[in-house]
Amino acid sequence: MLKSKTWVITAVIALMAVQLIQIVAVVHGESLTFDEDNHMYAGYRMWKNGDYGLNPEHPPLVKLLATLPVLGENLWVPPLKGIFFKGEAYSGGEEWLARNDGGSQRLVFRMRMAAALLAIALSLVVFFSTREWFGTTAALVALTLVVFDPNILAHSGLVTTDVGATLFFLATLYAFYRYVKQPTLLRLAIAGIVFGLLLATKHSGVLLGPMLAVLVCWEIAVAAKGTRLRTAMRLGGSLAAMVLLAVGVLWAFYGFRYAARPAGLQLIPSLAEYSQDLKPFDRGLIWWMAHLHLLPESYLMGMVDIRVFAKFFTTFILGNWYPHGVWWYFPVTISIKTTLGLIGLVLLAGFAIVTHKLGKGPNHSRALVYVLFVWIAYLATAGINGLNIGVRHVLPLYALAAVLAGALARHSAPGSALTMRGVLAARPSLYALRDELARIPAPLLLLAGDEDDSCLDVALMLKRTIPSAGLAVLPRTGHRAHREAGGTAPVQRGGGPFPRRRRAGSLAAAGSAVAVRLDHGSTGGPGHRGLRRTVSAMRSSPRQPCRPGGTG
């Protein structure tokens, strides 16, 4: 086990090192994109002047992160021209970078490497989310795909919002999944904070809110009939709390200040003027939020900018120009720019899902529903918004595709069949040990989770068979309870069911009460083999009476 864990850690570190080397090569090899100097300049002014109106078309997180390494520099800042905010940001950014960095690219390298931290974090989120959903092997496959994916790599060293949005998109989905699976205040807080980081990275992050609402509806629909109302109230309230916390995080990135620009400066044009080109409903919604100060002015200005500029974007694809967006742009672009290996793996994963070879078990099924639904919903939304300007706008799809492709490594049906026939079939069932179990003299405490159906059946059988057995059913707990210990552990009398572990062989000498964590259902398995050895040891031990108040 230790060697296996060490190997996994070594593999992850090696892949992350390879990713970092590739990013450094990309940073040195790529010239500035058309909007990077704009983002860099805007981020620097945010830190130094609290000016969030210079580049309101994007939230501040990536810009603030990228410019952290240059805050100690005494950089020249061009005077404001008092023109349209886009022109101010683009021309000012070009002058600022040319004057302070020239041809050395020293500052550019530092700012790009700071932004590259988001790509490293993305790889880690892909690994940990896939590991929880589909296992360690699947996680290593997904991590490898992300590290070497050319589309993700191409944007990993850029001071743009796409990799950051991909990171926090997947992280929010993963955090919400973890909360739904095992609700705690800490997990809800983490989900809300990560969602806030997504909102502070890119405006399209708001799309995840309605997607999570649909997933809540699905959770309600698949809940047991008697629990649907309680599930609806819990998840609905939790999602609302998560959104409120996310909005609070967003406000923090704007210094909890509504005004986009510091005292004495105004947005050019104003929010009211710029939103005149919107449809009446959209314009009214923006004005309502502005009037109540529900969101920062700069953030609202960015939302308006997306809608306004979508009207003027044309589409070029397959050698043709279109004066508007086309719904099939992203499916075609993805098919052209995605590696054949990733396409093939995703298609295989789809086939495995359709043929029910992938996604067995409640947790695996939930993970697949979450990933597949968000993947399809995001692609559909991208197809109708009209901004057909590059595959970077659907970069979250590549992270989700890596997760799906990695899921193929989770399970081998032939391997399971061989294991069942060659190993498990040779072991006796617990039901065949009833006579031996009935003669156990020592008190037992059986532990089982209320969501682990196969182990619940065995637990009830043991409770009825062993005269001195007690059964503790842990609420909202699945098979994880049985991974905490291998088979059995002694129970301290008077000390509760959370003792130090002791080998099963020591039970005969100790004569202690025993807590048995059931494992692997009602047929053979490691837990049952350990239990059989324990049964023999306990039968030979004298029965020890429990003290008053003790566990027995």
Side-chain angles (χ1 to χ4, degrees):
M1 183 66 180
L2 180 60
K3 290 183 178 179
S4 176
K5 185 177 180 180
T6 303
W7 181 87
V8 171
I9 294 174
T10 303
V12 171
I13 293 175
L15 286 169
M16 303 299 288
V18 170
Q19 182 184 29
L20 184 60
I21 293 172
Q22 291 183 107
I23 291 174
V24 172
V26 168
V27 168
H28 275 294
E30 285 190 346
S31 60
L32 282 174
T33 61
F34 81 100
D35 55 355
E36 275 189 287
D37 49 5
N38 166 12
H39 293 167
M40 295 171 181
Y41 174 50
Y44 187 77
R45 282 193 62 91
M46 287 178 187
W47 281 115
K48 294 294 186 177
N49 307 102
D51 191 351
Y52 299 96
L54 193 65
N55 176 240
E57 58 187 295
H58 297 292
L61 188 150
V62 175
K63 292 174 282 189
L64 292 173
L65 173 64
T67 49
L68 267 174
V70 302
L71 290 182
E73 302 278 348
N74 186 21
L75 303 179
W76 172 82
V77 177
L80 296 175
K81 302 177 178 64
I83 59 177
F84 178 49
F85 71 86
K86 284 183 180 290
E88 186 88 73
Y90 280 95
S91 62
E94 184 177 353
E95 295 172 14
W96 175 77
L97 204 55
R99 178 78 170 266
N100 292 296
D101 208 16
S104 70
Q105 301 289 291
R106 177 179 57 91
L107 298 180
V108 169
F109 178 80
R110 287 158 62 182
M111 288 186 282
R112 279 183 160 182
M113 290 308 298
L117 294 175
L118 297 172
I120 301 296
L122 170 62
S123 296
L124 290 175
V125 171
V126 166
F127 174 79
F128 286 111
S129 60
T130 309
R131 187 180 68 167
E132 178 161 342
W133 288 337
F134 305 112
T136 301
T137 304
L140 289 173
V141 172
L143 176 60
T144 303
L145 291 172
V146 168
V147 166
F148 292 101
D149 186 86
N151 291 290
I152 294 178
L153 177 61
H155 295 89
S156 293
L158 303 181
V159 184
T160 53
T161 59
D162 306 297
V163 170
T166 303
L167 160 64
F168 295 118
F169 203 94
L170 179 59
T172 304
L173 181 65
Y174 176 44
F176 183 71
Y177 166 89
R178 284 176 56 81
Y179 171 75
V180 172
K181 181 182 175 183
Q182 186 176 339
T184 65
L185 288 177
L186 177 61
R187 291 190 174 193
L188 180 61
I190 292 174
I193 291 172
V194 177
F195 190 23
L197 296 177
L198 173 61
L199 298 181
T201 300
K202 196 167 186 174
H203 286 96
S204 60
V206 300
L207 298 174
L208 188 56
M211 295 179 193
L212 294 181
V214 174
L215 290 175
V216 166
C217 293
W218 177 80
E219 291 284 354
I220 296 170
V222 299
K225 287 186 177 181
T227 64
R228 287 177 181 171
L229 179 59
R230 185 171 68 250
T231 301
M233 295 179 64
R234 177 176 61 83
L235 291 182
S238 299
L239 182 59
M242 179 177 161
V243 171
L244 289 175
L245 181 56
V247 172
V249 172
L250 176 64
W251 273 99
F253 276 91
Y254 289 93
F256 295 101
R257 192 186 74 200
Y258 171 75
R261 311 201 72 177
L265 296 176
Q266 299 294 326
L267 281 171
I268 304 176
S270 68
L271 178 61
E273 292 171 338
Y274 201 42
S275 59
Q276 288 293 336
D277 292 333
L278 298 182
K279 295 178 180 180
F281 176 81
D282 296 339
R283 182 172 63 250
L285 182 61
I286 292 292
W287 287 3
W288 175 72
M289 288 190 290
H291 176 71
L292 297 178
H293 289 191
L294 295 180
L295 293 173
E297 183 184 32
S298 178
Y299 197 82
L300 294 174
M301 192 71 167
M303 296 177 72
V304 172
D305 185 68
I306 293 173
R307 303 302 299 170
V308 169
F309 263 73
K311 300 178 181 179
F312 304 103
F313 273 109
T314 58
T315 300
F316 178 78
I317 187 170
L318 300 179
N320 296 312
W321 285 101
Y322 297 89
H324 49 74
V326 291
W327 67 267
W328 45 269
Y329 172 86
F330 283 110
V332 173
T333 304
I334 290 172
S335 66
I336 294 173
K337 301 201 71 173
T338 306
T339 62
L340 292 177
L342 183 57
I343 292 175
L345 289 173
V346 170
L347 291 177
L348 283 175
F351 176 78
I353 293 170
V354 171
T355 56
H356 304 290
K357 291 183 172 62
L358 186 62
K360 295 180 179 179
N363 290 330
H364 294 146
S365 298
R366 173 182 285 151
L368 280 177
V369 169
Y370 278 42
V371 173
L372 279 176
F373 169 73
V374 170
W375 199 96
I376 295 170
Y378 196 93
L379 179 60
T381 304
I384 62 177
N385 72 359
L387 292 175
N388 300 159
I389 55 175
V391 76
R392 66 189 181 94
H393 281 269
V394 292
L395 209 59
L397 299 183
Y398 284 86
L400 294 171
V403 172
L404 283 175
L408 285 172
R410 182 194 69 83
H411 178 72
S412 170
S416 295
L418 291 172
T419 301
M420 181 66 72
R421 185 176 65 179
V423 180
L424 299 182
R427 296 176 180 171
S429 166
L430 279 178
Y431 290 90
L433 301 174
R434 283 184 173 180
D435 292 340
E436 296 180 68
L437 291 168
R439 295 194 294 273
I440 291 178
L444 271 81
L445 174 63
L446 306 167
L447 302 180
D450 63 349
E451 296 177 0
D452 200 354
D453 296 337
S454 58
C455 285
L456 278 175
D457 294 337
V458 183
L460 289 172
M461 182 274 291
L462 292 174
K463 171 66 176 67
R464 294 163 180 162
T465 302
I466 303 173
S468 58
L471 173 60
V473 179
L474 306 180
R476 301 194 64 79
T477 303
H479 204 65
R480 181 176 294 272
H482 314 305
R483 297 176 183 173
E484 300 299 325
T488 62
V491 175
Q492 296 172 332
R493 298 189 184 92
F498 300 99
R500 296 179 181 177
R501 294 183 184 178
R502 185 182 301 171
R503 292 182 181 178
S506 66
L507 293 171
S512 301
V514 175
V516 178
R517 289 183 172 100
L518 299 175
D519 203 2
H520 298 299
S522 58
T523 56
H528 296 162
R529 184 170 51 185
L531 181 59
R532 192 174 192 185
R533 291 196 300 265
T534 303
V535 167
S536 298
M538 290 162 52
R539 284 179 55 197
S540 63
S541 65
R543 178 159 183 154
Q544 301 287 336
C546 292
R547 292 178 296 179
T551 303

